[in-house]
Amino acid sequence: MNSLAPLLQLQNISIAPKNAADRLLVKQVSFSILPGKTTCVVGESGSGKSLTALSIMGLLSKQLRLTSGQVLFNDGESGVQDLTHLDDSSMRKIRGAKIAMIFQEPMTSLNPVLTVGYQIGESLTTHLGLKGPALQSKIASLLSMVGIPENRANSYPDELSGGQRQRVMIAMSIACEPCLLIADEPTTALDVTVQAQILTLLDELKTRMNMGMLFITHDFGVVADIADQVVVMFRGEIVEAGSKQQVLTNPQHPYTKALLACVPDAEGKKPLQPIDYAWLAENKSLTHMQSQEQA
Amino acid sequence: MTNILLQAKHLVKTYSQRSGKFGFGTSLVRALDDVSIELKAGKTLAVVGESGSGKSTLARCLLQLQALDSGEVLFAGQDLAKLDSTALRQVRKNLQMVFQDPFASLNPRMRVGEIVAEGLVIHGLGNTAEQQAKVIAMLKRVGLSESDMQKYPHEFSGGQRQRIGIARALVLSPKVVVCDEPVSALDVSIQAQILLLLKELQAEMALSYLFISHDLRVVRHIADDIVVMHQGKVVEQGQVEVVYQRPQHPYTQNLLAAIPGKRALSA
């Protein structure tokens, strides 16, 4: 099983504000993503899960800095590259073409004055040089792949529903057939039934295109639906990592246990239990109980 | 026989919406289409549905924050729509609301003490010293402290702000509290704290909740009864356990099947 080389390996990633290098927002984070598999990063707001994702893309805001670590990317063509040391123009060739990203808010991530067809076509022209009828037919096939009628290519984002906009975002992100897709809470703003459809779509595309997926969420229900591997983050650190089965059914770290205990279950059988942060802080030595299974 | 505290009968509310080229045409949207519900004293009634189902319109119409086209809202036997503004204000003491967005629903220029006391001042309940004492007691009850009275909303986290919103609603000792998605903007751990707080307060103060939510997992934990809305209509209602175990309407079945984690766990 382990013959698959990891697509992406994060090694000891640390992020801090530029003017306070000792105040680490993300501490020594390491995990890997295999082709055709989904790694879910779970945590509360402020746990550093989105920063970790942005650091892969080299999209950290100017006030932040990567203080240590490597992002090793292996697309199987150009060998292993450390993305943290690439210059801007080589990074631009990877972004959108080999690594693509979907964001939480489909309303704010689309340009309101351009048709969705144009926005999907943009990366095809930039990265693959497609033009004219070839471009149009590729746009049409992408739209139908994500379940939107092809004639919608001339629609503007405001003419689409929230779920359709997120489908457009997905069409944009898979346009150049990336080997890695980063999805940052892509279904949080959506209704439950639409969420279920989008999760199914992402899972299908992942399998069909053999993409690796990094999926950021705070919802353990979503994790149960979509993950292969799970990474739990708390205050900038990984507290537990392992297979979905292991983390969800047999959590080792007290924070993971606490976080799972405060998720309401659909059967209403188990009592809700809020997290006792004071107790967690006292038992600081408990952090870094990584399970062995993670490759 | 259970006591029905708040009853809505055949509520209808239509909005007109611009449509067609350049918005020259108008079309009517039925936000509430013959909606009837009953809230029992001391119980929690959950209203669930997706965006656009009319659940927030229902909340606003129940509190007379928005005029109905037709139908009546009975609170303790009185039809609220027929009351004049003075009489309605008297009744409003008993009908309070907790809002979804703890960032938008608190006035950023007012101190927390003033925000929580405002209802008492408006309704002229007690002298200043008594009002202060009530505010302090309420803040402590929801897990804040006396010194927080001097602070402004921006100094608090999302969960703490929701506690302020709850204190503001409960300081008047209302009978009915309408909670419009009170935990959907919060982290799951904070959500659990707020849900437990709401449950404790319900038992202590004999509150009845109308709990609006799109999250069926949350509803399962807090509600006694449930109303499922779809496109302005009530498609199913009943006791929570019964509806969850044997949903009758295809839309309810769909909603329950879409709960994340369910497919994976049953598989």
Side-chain angles (χ1 to χ4, degrees), chain A residues 22 31 36 57 70 78-79 88 96-97 99 126 128 174 212 221 227:
Chain A
D22 52 334
F31 61 86
M57 293 286 266
Q70 289 181 309
S78 29
D88 282 353
I99 305 180
T126 315
L128 308 177
I174 60 167

Side-chain angles (χ1 to χ4, degrees), chain B residues 9-14 30-35 57 61 67-72 232:
Chain B
K9 289 183 182 167
H10 309 294
L11 303 188
V12 176
K13 173 78 191 169
T14 32
R30 291 212 135 192
L32 296 180
D33 192 350
D34 194 19
V35 171
T57 304
C61 286
L68 283 164
D69 292 352
S70 69
E72 50 185 10

Side-chain angles (χ1 to χ4, degrees), chain B residues 139-241:
Chain B
L139 283 177
K140 283 188 178 155
R141 182 59 198 91
V142 299
L144 298 167
S145 66
E146 190 177 339
S147 58
D148 289 331
M149 283 178 72
Q150 302 307 319
K151 294 185 188 159
Y152 288 95
H154 72 88
E155 295 173 63
F156 295 90
S157 67
Q160 286 174 317
R161 280 184 227 209
Q162 205 53 289
R163 289 173 193 270
I164 298 170
I166 292 171
R168 169 175 64 181
L170 296 191
V171 77
L172 291 165
S173 312
K175 298 229 167 33
V176 175
V177 182
V178 175
C179 307
D180 190 357
E181 306 254 12
V183 295
S184 52
L186 306 174
D187 260 331
V188 61
S189 58
I190 313 296
Q191 168 177 304
Q193 292 173 6
I194 299 291
L195 288 175
L196 288 175
L197 176 66
L198 284 171
K199 268 193 159 170
E200 287 166 19
L201 290 167
Q202 178 168 44
E204 281 167 35
M205 302 175 69
L207 301 169
S208 309
Y209 290 138
L210 185 82
F211 194 94
I212 296 174
S213 181
H214 68 273
D215 190 332
L216 287 140
R217 289 174 290 181
V218 167
V219 165
R220 184 67 186 82
H221 272 265
I222 194 131
D224 302 297
D225 298 300
I226 183 173
V227 167
V228 183
M229 289 188 70
H230 181 50
Q231 295 178 352
K233 286 195 177 72
V234 172
V235 295
E236 185 156 0
Q237 55 185 320
Q239 285 181 311
V240 164
E241 304 93 70

Side-chain angles (χ1 to χ4, degrees), chain B residues 63-105:
Chain B
L63 298 185
Q64 304 296 311
L65 297 171
Q66 215 167 19
L68 283 164
D69 292 352
S70 69
E72 50 185 10
V73 179
L74 298 171
F75 172 70
Q78 283 176 297
D79 184 356
L80 297 184
K82 295 211 176 76
L83 297 178
D84 61 25
S85 58
T86 334
L88 184 59
R89 203 169 299 143
Q90 286 303 314
V91 178
R92 280 249 173 83
K93 260 190 312 211
N94 290 315
L95 305 170
Q96 290 294 311
M97 191 152 177
V98 175
F99 297 92
Q100 170 172 11
D101 189 343
F103 294 82
S105 57

Side-chain angles (χ1 to χ4, degrees), chain A residues 41 61-62 67 89 112 127 165 194 198 213 266 278 282:
Chain A
V41 179
S61 92
K62 292 216 160 52
T67 55
S89 75
H127 293 295
R165 283 178 210 162
V194 183
I198 297 287
M213 188 145 73
E282 275 168 27

Side-chain angles (χ1 to χ4, degrees), chain A residues 44-45 191-193 195-196 199-200 218-219 221-222 224-225 244 259 262-268 270-275 277, chain B residues 49-51 186-193 195-196 214 216-218 220-221 244 251 254-255 258-265:
Chain A
E44 296 173 77
S45 39
D191 276 327
V192 272
T193 49
Q195 164 168 294
L199 290 179
T200 311
H218 64 268
D219 189 333
V222 173
D225 277 348
K244 167 170 79 177
L259 197 58
C262 62
V263 180
D265 60 322
E267 280 77 41
K270 104 199 151 168
L272 284 182
Q273 230 171 355
I275 296 181
Y277 290 100
Chain B
E50 307 202 319
S51 30
L186 306 174
D187 260 331
V188 61
S189 58
I190 313 296
Q191 168 177 304
Q193 292 173 6
L195 288 175
L196 288 175
H214 68 273
L216 287 140
R217 289 174 290 181
V218 167
R220 184 67 186 82
H221 272 265
Y244 273 58
Y251 180 70
N254 228 336
L255 270 184
I259 296 177
K262 217 166 183 199
R263 288 174 292 165
L265 292 174

